[in-house]
Every structure is written in structure tokens, then in C-alpha cells.
Coordinates of all heavy atoms in Angstrom, one line a residue:
W21 N 24.9 22.9 9.0 CA 24.2 21.8 8.3 C 24.9 20.5 8.4 O 24.3 19.4 8.5 CB 24.0 22.2 6.8 CG 23.0 23.2 6.5 CD1 23.1 24.4 6.0 CD2 21.5 23.1 6.8 NE1 21.9 25.1 5.9 CE2 20.9 24.3 6.4 CE3 20.7 22.1 7.4 CZ2 19.6 24.5 6.5 CZ3 19.4 22.3 7.5 CH2 18.8 23.5 7.1
G22 N 26.3 20.5 8.3 CA 27.0 19.3 8.3 C 26.5 18.3 7.3 O 26.3 18.6 6.1
D23 N 26.2 17.0 7.8 CA 25.7 16.0 6.9 C 24.2 15.8 7.0 O 23.7 14.7 6.8 CB 26.4 14.7 7.2 CG 27.9 14.7 6.8 OD1 28.2 15.3 5.8 OD2 28.7 14.0 7.5
Y24 N 23.5 16.9 7.4 CA 22.0 16.8 7.5 C 21.4 16.2 6.2 O 20.5 15.4 6.3 CB 21.5 18.2 7.7 CG 19.9 18.3 7.8 CD1 19.3 18.1 8.9 CD2 19.2 18.7 6.7 CE1 17.9 18.2 9.0 CE2 17.8 18.8 6.7 CZ 17.2 18.6 7.9 OH 15.8 18.7 8.0
A25 N 21.9 16.6 5.1 CA 21.4 16.0 3.8 C 22.0 14.7 3.5 O 23.0 14.6 2.8 CB 21.6 17.0 2.6
G26 N 21.5 13.7 4.1 CA 21.9 12.3 3.7 C 22.8 11.6 4.7 O 23.0 10.4 4.6
G27 N 23.2 12.3 5.8 CA 24.1 11.7 6.7 C 23.3 11.0 7.9 O 22.1 10.9 7.8
P28 N 24.1 10.7 9.0 CA 23.4 10.1 10.1 C 22.3 11.0 10.7 O 22.4 12.2 10.7 CB 24.5 10.0 11.1 CG 25.8 9.9 10.3 CD 25.5 10.8 9.1
A29 N 21.2 10.4 11.1 CA 20.0 11.1 11.6 C 19.1 10.2 12.4 O 19.1 9.0 12.2 CB 19.2 11.7 10.4
P30 N 18.4 10.8 13.4 CA 17.3 10.1 14.0 C 16.2 9.9 13.0 O 16.1 10.7 12.0 CB 16.9 11.0 15.2 CG 17.3 12.4 14.8 CD 18.5 12.2 13.9
G31 N 15.4 9.0 13.2 CA 14.3 8.8 12.3 C 13.5 7.6 12.6 O 13.8 6.8 13.5
L32 N 12.4 7.4 11.8 CA 11.5 6.2 12.1 C 12.2 4.9 11.8 O 12.9 4.8 10.8 CB 10.3 6.3 11.3 CG 9.1 7.1 12.0 CD1 9.4 8.6 12.1 CD2 7.8 6.9 11.3
S33 N 12.0 4.0 12.7 CA 12.6 2.6 12.5 C 11.9 1.9 11.4 O 10.7 2.1 11.1 CB 12.4 1.8 13.8 OG 12.7 0.4 13.6
F34 N 12.6 1.0 10.7 CA 11.9 0.2 9.7 C 10.8 -0.6 10.3 O 9.7 -0.8 9.7 CB 12.9 -0.8 9.1 CG 12.3 -1.8 8.2 CD1 12.0 -1.5 6.9 CD2 11.9 -3.1 8.6 CE1 11.4 -2.4 6.0 CE2 11.4 -4.0 7.8 CZ 11.1 -3.7 6.5
W35 N 10.9 -0.9 11.6 CA 9.9 -1.7 12.3 C 8.7 -0.9 12.7 O 7.7 -1.5 13.3 CB 10.5 -2.4 13.5 CG 11.8 -3.2 13.0 CD1 13.1 -2.9 13.3 CD2 11.8 -4.4 12.3 NE1 13.9 -3.8 12.7 CE2 13.1 -4.8 12.0 CE3 10.7 -5.2 11.7 CZ2 13.5 -5.9 11.3 CZ3 11.1 -6.4 11.0 CH2 12.5 -6.7 10.8
S36 N 8.7 0.4 12.4 CA 7.5 1.2 12.6 C 6.5 1.1 11.5 O 5.4 1.7 11.5 CB 7.8 2.6 12.8 OG 8.3 3.2 11.7
A37 N 6.8 0.3 10.4 CA 5.9 0.2 9.3 C 4.5 -0.3 9.6 O 3.5 0.1 9.1 CB 6.6 -0.7 8.2
G38 N 4.5 -1.2 10.6 CA 3.2 -1.8 11.0 C 2.3 -0.6 11.6 O 1.1 -0.6 11.4
W39 N 2.9 0.2 12.4 CA 2.2 1.3 13.0 C 1.7 2.3 12.0 O 0.5 2.8 12.0 CB 3.1 2.1 14.0 CG 2.5 3.2 14.8 CD1 1.9 3.1 16.0 CD2 2.4 4.6 14.4 NE1 1.4 4.3 16.4 CE2 1.7 5.3 15.5 CE3 2.8 5.3 13.3 CZ2 1.5 6.6 15.4 CZ3 2.6 6.7 13.3 CH2 1.9 7.3 14.3
L40 N 2.5 2.6 11.0 CA 2.2 3.5 9.9 C 1.0 2.9 9.1 O 0.1 3.7 8.7 CB 3.3 3.7 8.9 CG 4.6 4.4 9.5 CD1 5.7 4.4 8.6 CD2 4.2 5.9 9.9
H41 N 0.9 1.6 9.0 CA -0.2 1.0 8.2 C -1.4 0.8 9.1 O -2.5 1.2 8.7 CB 0.3 -0.4 7.7 CG -0.7 -1.1 7.0 ND1 -1.5 -2.1 7.6 CD2 -1.2 -1.1 5.7 CE1 -2.3 -2.6 6.7 NE2 -2.1 -2.0 5.5
R42 N -1.2 0.4 10.3 CA -2.4 0.1 11.2 C -3.1 1.3 11.6 O -4.4 1.3 11.8 CB -1.9 -0.7 12.4 CG -2.9 -1.2 13.3 CD -2.4 -2.1 14.4 NE -1.3 -1.5 15.2 CZ 0.0 -1.7 15.1 NH1 0.4 -2.5 14.1 NH2 0.8 -1.1 15.8
T43 N -2.5 2.4 11.9 CA -3.1 3.6 12.3 C -3.9 4.3 11.2 O -4.8 5.2 11.4 CB -2.1 4.7 12.8 OG1 -1.1 4.9 11.8 CG2 -1.5 4.2 14.1
E44 N -3.7 3.9 9.9 CA -4.4 4.5 8.8 C -4.2 6.0 8.7 O -5.2 6.7 8.3 CB -5.9 4.1 8.8 CG -6.1 2.6 8.7 CD -7.5 2.2 8.6 OE1 -8.4 2.9 9.1 OE2 -7.8 1.1 8.0

């Protein structure tokens, strides 16, 4: 597990917010 809970991780960019909104 290491730092899976709260540590470094891949994930969605903040700049993907437009995609999350636009795709509905």
C-alpha cells in the first residue's frame, strides 16, 4: 500500500474540469 492513501498518485488534472462539465 505504501502511501496509496493520500500520497503521490496519478489522477485527473485540475484542467480536466471543463471536460467533466462539458461531457455532462
Side-chain angles (χ1 to χ4, degrees):
W21 287 118
D23 291 327
Y24 177 83
L32 270 70
S33 168
F34 174 81
W35 306 106
S36 69
W39 185 91
L40 296 171
H41 179 260
R42 186 171 58 258
T43 54
E44 298 185 332

